[in-house]
């Protein structure tokens, strides 16, 4: 045996052993402290509340901020950030403080423990005071003088009875060997008795013999140990101990209250009763002395042929004790449940014989007001000790095998006799009786049927709470199924909750729930608490619904007061939620809405028999018109009504003068209609429509073609509905504005309103649903330039009439006679471009939209923009056609955006054309910008190599477009650019080479097709002139191409090559000034001949023809001829 010294410790659990006693550890001491949660709130719940509130505010800001001005939006956002920051900082401080929550909790627990100790000390003090006060009157007996004299004289007390000595003085104890021998003999006797004589119940057939006794084990009931009184054949049995084979589940405190091995008074009671049953037919012991005045009744005698069966009697007794013990444990657990929060909802009743326990769950207080009488309980659970069902042939309720074994045992041990007692089979029966009409719901028996094997008492896990929750869960499931069936199939509710998926059953964290879809993403969840039986309605719990808790709490309280209104609550909740969401979206858009208006019931009937609720949205600019959102059994219906106030009525009632039904699919899709009346309304007066809406009336759509799901109202859809209603009401005023300008127009249905991203901020998405105005181009473009570029019909569409913050605008749409796709950087990848604030071009449809900010000036602004755009369009069209019509394959359009057109006229050489001052008296002018493709693609590219030499000709070329019609003038310009390209390119190369060589040679343009190379002495020059047919003539500048203008004296041109006047028109110069004129190039004829021969020898392509004053060649031979001729002339001039 292990001995612990002072101060040692047990390494197994870390506890200390001091002076042989167990010293508890700190952890064990902390477990003994009471846990106090008074005044505390879970941190997770607090964080969840704050996050939900922040998310809800953010969602609201996301809906409201787009409708605010920029300043208001910034101010609102800043205020929200400051307020939210304060909340987050507070929460951060709380989270930081919560790190010490464990220490604070331990301090509170210690405080509670000390207060309890203080109470115990005070009770001890009061007990001591009470003892003092009670003992004060007590007195001692008189002194025993005789005993004192005997002790003083003889030294001992001689008056003590001798029998006391026999009792007090212990006999000589047996040795260990004698004890072991005695126990072994007793075991042998027990073994012989059980095998040969005693009737052992089959239920107790499992036993073991040890330590001088026999241990009988009855599974799931008890284990009892018995011993014999002696070795005689008729010696009886006596009870030693018993252990109930059960395990207590649930609350662990029951384990200490009901130990498996009884102790104290219970142990004494069981011992006395068991011994009495074991010795029922045995005579009293001979040494048992009884008072003489007591007459001993005669002992029971066995009838003839009956053999005593004491083990059967003790089995019946212990079986009943074991079941009673389990029943008491279940009753104790139920009472503990009442103390732990079940008191108001659970009632416990134990029968007088302590054999029946009745638990009534879901108790409800009686209602204060007289309502429909419904039961005040949910059901009853009865647990009773009852005799098992038996048959005449099987009185012990045994299996066939056990019955045969019992019969064989009786025949072997009793012979012809029979046992004095029979086994009495008992069991714990559980009966569940759900109360019909609980919650006002009647449940068919098949809904709550449960197999008996599921409602049994398991001795290995005695848990009355689990049993209660099992039957309550089944009860809850049956109720929810009945509610689901009623919502889906009842005629009055089928239309609202009948569609598949509207009402479903689900498990949420092992809790049965009924989920009813209200509208959009809103779902109401119904649960029934298995403990209290109280109904609970809540939303889906999303963060945006943080402010709806009070509403659901109020509804839940009313339902628990009167559950019969459950179905009505579902209907009201669905209708209220639908209208709440619609009203919320209306408020987000800043619209004034009303749940009720002062209409009479007759007027309300105009919305049809299926109308269950309405939301009236007042049109801001037209108070006598409303957009009405009607909730029907299937979905939303939308109506536009005009009202009139009856002044003669006391309450100023309203009447509907006109009502038009809107088809939201047409608004949100291709077009919108105002149907004459809903399909279920036969009265034509209900569906009156405006006269000018006749073109938009269509037949009602099939229900399966609905555009939106049930009761899903998007903010954009509501905005479009409101805008459309405003447009319909205000359209008449827009028409009047055009009439005052005396512009003939017609109203036509809209099929395409040039919907573009650029117009999205200026027009509503449902602008296409509003009829537009059509104007003839001959009327509005009378006298305007390029009027032939427009198609006959021009659409004029008013915009922003529904916007209270912006003035009305007008967009004029002109379809061009030909389609020209914009290209270039500004054209982008979209088919719609916006070159300026007031122009949008749809390249797919060739529609130009002119946006006017002012209705009063829309015509003037349109004509100004049209004059500019039409010329650019003509230029772009002509350029696009040149590749095929003129066979100029390298002419291609590079950029076109209605303001500027850029195209390549040859290779990578480009020109950009812009029109300016189109309404000026001179007819406007053109700006030409020459460049080459890829000018900006590489920053380190040689800029001289990418330079377009035609830029020097821009002052001469811009005037080409101003002579005659635009199309022929553009062709002349392009032909001139192409013919002169080879010349200007070669001259540019010559110029760059001369610059690098630091030669004093000047290269410049004299006219659009005339170029000159002036050499350093300013007396010799070489001219390059563009001729028809793509030919170029290179000649000595001292000669003229026009002999008729040249005098016989060979008049010379002025030396200054930068003068724009031609030598052909110069007057004859006197010989005295001949040094001021250009001189003939020395040996020019020889140089020309050598250049022609050199070109022929090198295989130069193209035609080359020498003339007396120069060379004529094709453009493809310009590069070689010009370079060779220039170099040889320059070399000859250097030679002098």
């Amino acid at each position: 045996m292990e001995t612990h010294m002072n101060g040692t410790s047990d390494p197994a659990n870390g506890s200390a052993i001091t002076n042989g006693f167990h010293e508890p550890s700190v952890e064990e001491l902390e477990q003994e402290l009471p846990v106090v949660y008074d005044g505390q709130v879970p941190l997770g719940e607090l964080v969840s509340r704050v996050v939900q509130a922040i998310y809800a505010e953010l969602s609201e800001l996301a809906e409201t901020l787009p409708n605010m001005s920029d300043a208001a939006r910034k101010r609102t956002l800043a205020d929200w950030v400051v307020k939210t920051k304060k909340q987050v900082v507070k929460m951060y401080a709380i989270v930081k403080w919560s790190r010490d929550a464990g220490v604070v909790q331990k301090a509170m627990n210690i405080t509670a423990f000390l207060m309890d100790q203080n109470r115990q000390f005070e009770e001890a003090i009061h007990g001591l005071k009470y003892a003092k006060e009670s003992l004060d009157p007590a007195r001692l007996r008189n002194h025993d003088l005789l005993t004192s004299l005997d002790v003083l004289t003889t030294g001992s007390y001689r008056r003590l009875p001798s029998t006391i000595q026999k009792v007090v003085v212990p006999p000589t104890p047996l040795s260990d060997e004698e004890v072991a021998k005695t126990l072994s003999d007793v075991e042998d006797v027990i073994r012989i008795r059980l095998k040969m004589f005693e009737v052992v119940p089959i239920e107790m057939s499992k036993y073991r013999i040890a330590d001088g006794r026999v241990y009988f084990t009855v599974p799931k009931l008890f284990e009892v140990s018995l011993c014999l009184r002696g070795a005689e054949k008729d010696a009886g049995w006596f009870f030693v101990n018993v252990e109930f084979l059960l395990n207590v589940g649930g609350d662990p405190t029951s384990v200490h209250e009901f130990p498996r091995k009884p102790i104290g008074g219970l142990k004494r009671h069981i011992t006395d009763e068991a011994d009495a049953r074991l010795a029922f037919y045995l005579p009293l012991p001979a040494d048992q002395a009884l008072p003489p005045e007591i007459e001993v009744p005669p002992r029971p005698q066995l009838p003839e042929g009956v053999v005593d069966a004491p083990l059967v009697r003790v089995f019946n007794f212990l079986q009943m004790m074991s079941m009673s013990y389990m029943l008491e444990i279940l009753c104790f657990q139920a009472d503990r449940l009442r103390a732990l929060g079940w008191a108001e909802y659970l009632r416990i009743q134990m029968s007088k014989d302590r054999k029946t326990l009745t638990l009534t769950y879901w108790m409800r207080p009686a209602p204060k007001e007289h309502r429909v009488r419904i039961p005040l309980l949910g059901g009853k659970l009865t647990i009773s000790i009852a005799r098992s069902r038996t048959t005449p042939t099987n009185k012990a309720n045994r299996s066939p095998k056990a019955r045969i074994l019992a019969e064989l045992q009786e025949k072997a041990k009793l012979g012809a006799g029979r046992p004095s007692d029979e086994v009495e089979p008992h069991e714990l029966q559980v009966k569940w009786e759900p109360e019909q009409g609980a919650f006002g719901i009647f449940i068919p028996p098949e809904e709550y049927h449960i197999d008996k094997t599921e409602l049994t008492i398991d001795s290995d896990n005695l848990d009355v709470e689990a049993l209660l929750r099992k039957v309550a869960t089944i009860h809850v499931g049956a109720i929810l199924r009945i509610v689901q069936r009623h919502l889906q199939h009842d005629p009055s509710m089928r239309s609202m909750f009948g569609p598949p998926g509207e009402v479903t059953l689900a498990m949420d964290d092992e809790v049965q729930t009924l989920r009813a879809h209200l509208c959009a993403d809103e779902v109401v969840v119904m649960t029934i608490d298995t403990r209290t039986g109280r109904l609970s309605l809540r939303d889906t719990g999303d963060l945006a619904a943080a402010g709806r808790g009070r509403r659901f709490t109020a509804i839940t309280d009313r339902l628990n007061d009167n559950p019969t209104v459950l179905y009505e609550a579902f209907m009201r909740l669905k209708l209220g939620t639908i209208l709440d969401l619609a009203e919320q979206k209306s408020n987000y858009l800043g619209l004034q809405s009303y749940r009720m208006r002062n209409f009479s019931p007759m007027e309300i009937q105009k919305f049809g028999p299926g109308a269950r609720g309405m939301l009236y949205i007042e049109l801001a600019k037209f108070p006598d018109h409303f957009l009405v959102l009607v909730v029907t059994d299937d979905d939303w219906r939308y109506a536009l009504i005009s009202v009139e106030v009856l002044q003669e009525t006391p309450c100023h009632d309203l009447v509907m003068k006109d009502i038009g039904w809107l088809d939201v699919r047409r608004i949100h899709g291709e077009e919108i209609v105002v149907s004459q009346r809903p399909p279920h309304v036969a009265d034509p007066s209900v569906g009156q429509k405006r006269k000018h809406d006749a073109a938009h009336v269509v037949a009602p759509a099939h229900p399966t073609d609905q555009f939106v799901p049930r009761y899903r109202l998007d903010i954009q859809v509501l905005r479009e509905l409101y805008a459309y209603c405003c447009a319909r009401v205000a359209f008449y005023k827009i028409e009047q504005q055009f009439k005052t300008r005396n512009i003939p127009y017609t109203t036509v249905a809209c099929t395409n309103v040039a919907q573009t991203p650029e117009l999205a901020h200026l027009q509503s998405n449902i602008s296409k649903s509003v009829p537009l105005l059509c104007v003839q181009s001959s009327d509005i473009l009378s006298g305007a330039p390029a009027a032939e570029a427009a198609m006959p019909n021009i659409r004029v569409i008013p915009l922003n009439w529904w916007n209270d913050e912006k003035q009305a605008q007008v967009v004029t749409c002109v379809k061009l006679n030909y389609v020209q796709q914009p290209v270039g950087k500004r054209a982008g990848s979209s088919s719609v471009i916006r070159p300026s604030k007031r122009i949008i071009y749809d390249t797919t449809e060739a529609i130009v939209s002119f946006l006017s900010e002012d209705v009063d000036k829309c015509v003037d602004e349109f004509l100004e923009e049209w004059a500019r755009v039409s010329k650019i369009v003509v230029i772009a069209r002509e350029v696009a056609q040149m590749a095929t019509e003129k066979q100029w394959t390298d002419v291609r359009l590079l950029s076109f955006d209605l303001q500027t057109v850029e195209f390549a006229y040859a290779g990578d050489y480009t020109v950009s054309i812009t029109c300016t001052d189109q309404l000026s008296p001179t007819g406007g002018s053109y700006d030409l910008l020459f460049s080459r493709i890829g000018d900006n693609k590489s920053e380190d590219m040689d800029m001289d190599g990418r330079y377009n030499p035609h830029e020097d000709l821009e002052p001469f070329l811009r005037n080409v477009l101003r002579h005659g019609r635009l199309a022929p003038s553009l062709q002349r310009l392009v032909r001139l650019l192409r013919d002169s390209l080879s010349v200007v390119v070669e001259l540019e190369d010559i110029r760059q080479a001369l610059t690098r060589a630091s030669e004093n040679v000047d290269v410049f343009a004299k006219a659009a097709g005339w170029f000159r190379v002036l050499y350093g002495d300013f007396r010799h020059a070489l001219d390059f002139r563009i001729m028809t047919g793509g030919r170029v003539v290179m000649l000595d500048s001292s000669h003229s191409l026009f002999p008729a203008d040249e005098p016989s004296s060979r008049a010379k041109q002025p030396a200054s090559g930068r003068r724009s006047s031609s030598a052909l028109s110069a007057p004859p110069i006197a010989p005295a000034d001949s040094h001021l004129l250009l001189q003939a190039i020395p040996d020019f004829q020889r140089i020309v001949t050598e250049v022609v021969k050199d070109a022929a020898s090198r295989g130069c392509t193209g035609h080359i023809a020498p003339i007396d004053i120069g060379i004529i060649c094709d453009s493809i031979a310009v590069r070689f001829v010009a370079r060779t001729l220039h170099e040889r002339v320059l070399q000859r001039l250097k030679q002098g």
Side-chain angles (χ1 to χ4, degrees):
M1 181 175 179
E2 183 181 0
T3 303
H4 296 279
M5 305 300 292
N6 292 347
T8 61
S9 61
D10 187 359
N13 53 12
S15 60
I17 306 298
T18 304
N19 294 327
F21 295 97
H22 171 70
E23 184 69 20
S25 62
V26 177
E27 291 76 12
E28 294 175 342
L29 292 175
E30 291 181 358
Q31 292 178 359
E32 297 296 329
L33 295 177
V35 181
V36 180
Y37 294 113
D38 186 26
Q40 300 187 60
V41 177
L43 179 63
E45 182 177 350
L46 187 61
V47 174
S48 177
R49 291 283 184 88
V50 173
V51 173
Q52 287 180 358
I54 293 175
Y55 185 84
E57 294 175 359
L58 268 177
S59 300
E60 185 174 353
L61 287 176
E63 297 288 350
T64 56
L65 286 179
N67 298 323
M68 298 182 182
S69 62
D70 184 64
R73 188 161 50 244
K74 293 178 179 177
R75 181 173 62 255
T76 302
L77 192 59
D79 295 342
W80 179 84
V81 169
V82 172
K83 183 182 71 174
T84 306
K85 181 181 179 182
K86 293 180 180 179
Q87 296 295 328
V88 173
V89 170
K90 293 178 181 177
M91 179 56 61
Y92 177 73
I94 293 175
V95 173
K96 294 283 287 185
W97 179 86
S98 66
R99 296 178 179 177
D100 300 328
V103 179
V104 176
Q105 181 66 52
K106 186 184 297 182
M108 294 178 65
N109 297 343
I110 294 174
T111 302
F113 175 77
L114 293 178
M115 292 176 65
D116 185 62
Q117 291 292 319
N118 185 49
R119 179 185 57 79
Q120 295 179 11
F121 289 149
E122 292 179 353
E123 291 178 355
I125 293 172
H126 290 307
L128 292 175
K129 289 182 179 179
Y130 176 76
K132 176 180 177 298
E133 295 173 355
S134 301
L135 292 176
D136 282 344
R139 294 292 183 268
L140 295 174
R141 58 176 289 188
N142 294 332
H143 297 285
D144 188 358
L145 297 179
L146 295 178
T147 301
S148 301
L149 291 174
D150 289 342
V151 171
L152 290 174
T153 57
T154 63
S156 63
Y157 180 63
R158 297 184 178 273
R159 303 178 188 275
L160 189 67
S162 60
T163 184
I164 296 179
Q165 184 177 3
K166 295 180 181 179
V167 175
V168 173
V169 177
T172 303
L174 298 175
S175 63
D176 293 343
E177 292 78 7
E178 294 174 337
V179 171
K181 178 67 171 58
T182 303
L183 292 178
S184 177
D185 294 341
V186 172
E187 291 175 359
D188 292 339
V189 174
I190 292 174
R191 191 173 291 110
I192 293 174
R193 287 280 296 270
L194 293 178
K195 293 292 185 180
M196 301 301 295
F197 306 105
E198 293 292 343
V199 177
V200 181
I202 296 300
E203 291 77 8
M204 293 173 57
S205 60
K206 182 179 180 182
Y207 62 87
R208 59 186 175 88
I209 300 173
D211 300 331
R213 68 191 70 175
V214 58
Y215 295 89
F216 293 99
T217 302
V218 180
K220 296 185 178 298
L221 287 180
F222 60 86
E223 182 183 66
V224 61
S225 59
L226 304 177
C227 188
L228 286 173
R229 296 178 183 270
E232 297 82 3
K233 182 178 180 181
D234 57 351
W237 297 86
F238 68 90
F239 175 84
V240 179
N241 200 359
V242 67
E243 179 181 0
F244 295 112
L245 303 181
L246 54 86
N247 293 313
V248 180
D251 189 359
T253 57
S254 305
V255 178
H256 304 289
E257 297 291 339
F258 296 90
R260 290 166 60 98
K261 294 183 178 181
I263 58 176
L266 180 61
K267 171 69 178 299
R268 288 192 298 271
H269 169 72
I270 295 175
T271 301
D272 294 341
E273 290 293 332
D275 287 341
R277 283 165 171 77
L278 289 170
F280 187 73
Y281 290 106
L282 297 179
L284 293 176
D287 58 349
Q288 183 175 356
L290 296 175
E293 65 274 6
I294 297 178
E295 183 179 358
V296 180
R299 299 292 294 174
Q301 298 296 324
L302 290 171
E304 185 69 23
V306 177
V307 180
D308 187 16
L311 297 182
V312 175
R313 288 193 298 274
V314 78
F315 167 76
N316 291 335
F317 167 68
L318 291 178
Q319 174 187 234
M320 182 61 68
M321 285 300 300
S322 177
M323 292 184 181
S324 298
Y325 201 59
M326 288 189 285
L327 191 63
E328 293 295 334
I329 292 175
L330 295 176
C331 182
F332 178 82
Q333 289 180 335
D335 192 63
R336 287 285 298 172
L337 288 179
R338 285 177 54 84
L340 296 176
W342 292 60
E344 299 180 9
Y345 317 105
L346 181 64
R347 185 174 63 192
I348 305 173
Q349 292 177 328
M350 179 68 83
S351 62
K352 293 182 180 180
D353 59 358
R354 310 295 293 182
K355 290 186 178 181
T356 303
L357 174 64
T358 303
L359 304 176
T360 306
Y361 60 92
W362 293 357
M363 296 295 299
R364 299 174 55 248
K368 299 180 180 179
E369 301 178 1
H370 178 71
R371 297 190 180 95
V372 180
R373 297 183 61 86
I374 58 176
L376 300 181
L377 67 155
K380 294 181 180 179
L381 185 66
T382 304
I383 308 172
S384 60
I385 302 175
R387 191 176 179 112
S388 302
R389 298 182 61 181
T390 60
T391 61
T393 59
N394 188 12
K395 297 181 180 180
N397 194 24
R398 293 168 174 164
S399 64
K401 178 181 178 181
R403 188 166 64 251
I404 293 175
L405 291 176
E407 293 175 356
L408 293 175
Q409 178 185 214
E410 291 180 2
K411 290 180 180 181
K413 296 179 179 180
L414 304 181
R418 58 185 178 87
S420 60
D421 296 273
E422 299 285 347
V423 173
E424 299 175 356
H426 287 79
E427 63 181 357
L428 284 174
Q429 294 182 352
V430 183
K431 183 180 180 181
W432 175 41
E433 299 174 307
E435 188 70 18
Q436 284 295 339
F439 304 102
I441 299 173
F442 292 88
I443 306 175
E446 61 271 10
E447 287 291 338
Y448 58 82
H449 174 73
I450 183 172
D451 192 76
K452 289 185 177 181
T453 57
E454 297 185 18
L455 288 181
T456 57
I457 302 300
D458 186 7
S459 60
D460 291 331
N461 183 22
L462 294 175
D463 189 357
V464 73
E465 181 181 3
L467 190 61
L468 279 171
R469 290 194 181 275
K470 177 185 291 186
V471 298
T473 301
I474 298 173
H475 201 171
V476 167
I479 293 175
L480 294 182
R481 287 192 296 273
I482 294 298
V483 173
Q484 180 191 27
R485 190 177 304 131
H486 188 276
L487 291 175
Q488 290 182 332
H489 301 289
D490 187 80
S492 62
M493 311 190 72
R494 181 170 52 200
S495 58
M496 299 292 282
F497 295 98
E502 287 290 308
V503 183
T504 58
L505 297 178
M507 293 294 294
D508 187 4
D509 294 335
E510 299 183 357
V511 177
Q512 298 181 85
T513 62
L514 182 142
R515 302 171 65 88
H517 178 247
L518 300 179
C519 71
D521 298 329
E522 296 298 322
V523 177
V524 61
V525 179
M526 173 185 171
T527 58
I528 301 178
D529 191 350
T530 56
R531 177 179 66 92
T532 64
R534 292 180 62 85
L535 295 171
S536 176
L537 294 181
R538 59 180 175 86
D539 60 356
T540 51
D542 55 348
L543 296 177
R548 300 179 189 159
R550 295 182 179 178
R551 177 180 179 183
F552 281 92
T553 301
I555 296 176
T556 300
D557 293 340
R558 289 197 298 268
L559 282 177
N560 287 293
D561 291 341
N562 185 14
T564 58
V565 299
L566 175 63
Y567 303 117
E568 180 183 354
F570 268 103
M571 289 294 295
R572 291 183 177 272
L573 190 60
K574 186 178 184 75
L575 181 60
T577 304
I578 292 171
L579 293 177
D580 284 345
L581 292 178
E583 190 173 19
Q584 183 184 40
K585 289 178 172 57
S586 175
N587 294 335
Y588 284 162
L589 295 177
L591 307 178
Q592 182 66 47
S593 60
Y594 306 92
R595 294 282 185 96
M596 298 291 294
R597 288 278 79 187
N598 196 19
F599 290 111
S600 64
M602 295 296 296
E603 292 294 320
I604 295 296
Q605 291 180 1
K606 292 183 179 181
F607 291 116
R612 294 184 177 267
M614 283 74 67
L615 182 67
Y616 303 89
I617 300 178
E618 181 181 342
L619 304 187
K621 288 188 176 182
F622 313 101
D624 54 345
H625 288 77
F626 290 89
L627 167 62
V628 185
L629 278 60
V630 184
V631 182
T632 64
D633 292 340
D634 299 326
D635 204 345
W636 286 108
R637 287 187 62 81
Y638 309 94
L640 173 62
I641 65 172
S642 61
V643 300
E644 182 180 3
V645 180
L646 299 179
Q647 300 293 341
E648 63 276 6
T649 58
C651 298
H652 297 284
D653 294 341
L654 299 177
V655 295
M656 299 183 196
K657 297 191 304 181
D658 190 12
I659 179 172
W661 293 95
L662 308 178
D663 190 344
V664 70
R665 293 182 302 108
R666 304 298 184 178
I667 297 177
H668 204 64
E670 300 175 357
E671 55 180 312
I672 187 168
V673 299
V674 181
S675 60
Q676 185 174 357
R677 56 183 178 273
H680 57 273
V681 178
D683 186 6
S685 62
V686 176
Q688 293 177 0
K689 62 182 185 302
R690 301 182 64 90
K691 293 182 178 180
H692 53 268
D693 293 341
H696 298 274
V697 178
V698 297
H702 193 272
T704 58
D705 297 332
Q706 293 294 329
F707 179 77
V708 295
R710 283 164 51 94
Y711 308 112
R712 184 180 295 273
L713 180 62
D714 188 75
I715 290 184
Q716 181 64 23
V717 174
L718 182 59
R719 181 186 288 112
E720 292 175 358
L721 283 171
Y722 181 82
Y724 176 78
C725 292
C726 293
R728 298 303 299 170
V729 177
F731 191 71
Y732 176 75
K733 296 184 179 182
I734 302 298
E735 291 174 333
Q736 292 299 316
Q737 295 180 17
F738 284 94
K739 289 180 181 179
T740 56
R741 299 179 180 273
N742 296 323
I743 299 177
Y745 70 91
T746 57
T747 303
V748 297
C750 177
T751 56
N752 186 5
V753 197
Q755 297 180 357
T756 65
E758 288 74 11
L759 283 177
H761 71 288
L762 297 176
Q763 66 178 9
S764 171
N765 291 336
I766 51 91
S767 294
K768 61 181 180 179
S769 307
V770 182
L772 51 86
L773 305 174
C774 182
V775 185
Q776 294 297 314
S777 60
S778 58
D779 296 330
I780 196 171
L781 296 180
S782 178
E788 70 280 359
M791 296 290 284
N793 295 326
I794 296 178
R795 290 172 295 175
V796 182
I797 309 168
L799 302 176
N800 275 338
W801 54 76
W802 56 84
N803 197 323
D804 297 332
E805 299 180 358
K806 296 182 179 180
Q807 60 180 356
Q809 298 172 327
V810 175
V811 59
T812 304
C813 300
V814 181
K815 186 174 181 61
L816 303 178
N817 275 319
Y818 33 80
V819 178
Q820 181 57 55
Q821 297 292 338
V823 293
K825 298 179 180 179
R826 298 183 63 182
S829 59
S830 174
S831 61
V832 179
I833 64 171
R834 187 168 188 174
S836 68
K837 182 180 179 181
R838 298 191 299 182
I839 298 177
I840 301 96
Y841 182 37
D842 185 348
T843 60
T844 304
E845 301 293 336
I847 296 177
V848 184
S849 300
F850 300 89
L851 183 65
S852 176
E853 298 288 344
D854 189 357
V855 176
D856 297 332
K857 298 180 180 179
C858 64
V859 175
D860 293 339
E861 292 180 358
F862 164 69
L863 292 176
E864 180 181 357
E865 294 295 337
W866 172 254
R868 179 182 299 110
V869 168
S870 59
K871 292 184 178 180
I872 294 298
V873 170
V874 171
I875 294 175
R877 181 197 60 183
E878 293 296 328
V879 171
Q881 296 175 353
M882 288 181 180
T884 56
E885 294 182 357
K886 299 296 183 179
Q887 301 301 320
W888 295 339
T889 57
D890 53 349
V891 176
R892 61 190 185 281
L893 189 63
L894 301 179
S895 175
F896 165 60
D897 58 6
L898 299 182
Q899 297 289 300
T900 303
V901 59
E902 181 180 6
F903 60 93
Y905 51 86
D908 59 348
Y909 293 88
T910 66
V911 61
S912 175
I913 304 176
T914 304
C915 303
T916 58
D917 300 331
Q918 295 305 303
L919 295 182
S920 63
T922 60
S925 60
Y926 299 90
D927 291 336
L928 277 64
L929 178 62
F930 292 92
S931 61
R932 296 183 66 178
I933 298 176
D935 285 351
N936 299 322
K937 290 185 179 179
S938 177
E939 296 181 357
D940 56 352
M941 185 179 294
D942 186 3
M943 296 305 297
D944 291 338
R946 310 305 300 174
Y947 174 72
N948 190 340
H950 274 134
E951 185 176 348
D952 296 337
L953 301 180
E954 195 272 341
F956 307 105
L957 297 175
R958 68 166 60 180
N959 294 325
V960 175
L961 296 176
R962 300 184 61 183
H963 294 82
R965 297 177 64 247
L966 183 58
S969 300
L970 180 65
Q971 295 179 7
R972 289 195 299 271
L973 174 64
V974 175
R975 184 180 293 106
L976 179 59
L977 291 174
R978 291 175 58 84
D979 293 344
S980 62
L981 179 61
S982 58
V983 177
V984 296
V985 168
E986 184 58 29
L987 291 179
E988 178 64 20
D989 292 342
I990 292 174
R991 183 189 64 79
Q992 293 180 8
L994 293 173
T995 302
R996 290 191 295 268
S998 300
E999 296 287 348
N1000 187 17
V1001 180
D1002 191 9
V1003 180
F1004 57 91
K1006 294 278 290 179
W1010 184 5
F1011 309 93
R1012 173 167 292 179
V1013 179
L1014 183 62
Y1015 295 98
D1017 56 359
F1018 295 105
R1019 292 186 300 168
H1020 301 87
L1022 194 62
D1023 277 355
F1024 297 82
R1025 287 199 173 216
I1026 308 302
M1027 302 178 66
T1028 60
R1031 298 171 300 166
V1032 179
V1033 58
M1034 308 174 195
L1035 68 158
D1036 187 352
S1037 299
S1038 61
H1039 297 277
S1040 174
L1041 286 177
F1042 309 101
D1045 296 335
E1046 183 179 4
S1048 58
S1049 61
R1050 199 180 178 192
K1052 304 299 180 180
Q1053 295 177 353
S1056 179
R1058 298 191 183 274
R1059 297 176 61 182
S1060 59
S1061 58
S1062 174
L1064 298 177
S1065 59
I1069 304 301
D1073 298 330
S1074 59
H1075 63 283
L1076 300 176
L1077 302 178
L1078 290 174
Q1079 303 296 320
I1081 298 174
D1083 301 330
F1084 188 69
Q1085 288 289 344
R1086 179 182 58 80
I1087 294 174
V1088 168
T1089 302
E1090 293 177 354
V1091 169
V1092 173
K1093 291 180 179 180
D1094 194 4
S1097 63
R1098 295 191 180 186
C1100 181
T1101 60
H1103 296 86
I1104 303 174
I1107 58 176
D1108 55 348
I1109 58 174
I1111 301 175
I1112 297 177
C1113 65
D1114 293 337
S1115 58
I1116 58 176
V1118 167
R1119 181 173 185 79
F1120 177 80
V1121 175
R1123 176 64 61 91
T1124 305
L1125 181 61
H1126 158 70
E1127 291 176 352
R1128 299 203 176 184
V1129 169
L1130 180 61
Q1131 182 181 4
R1132 177 64 183 85
L1133 293 177
K1134 287 182 178 181
Q1135 296 175 358

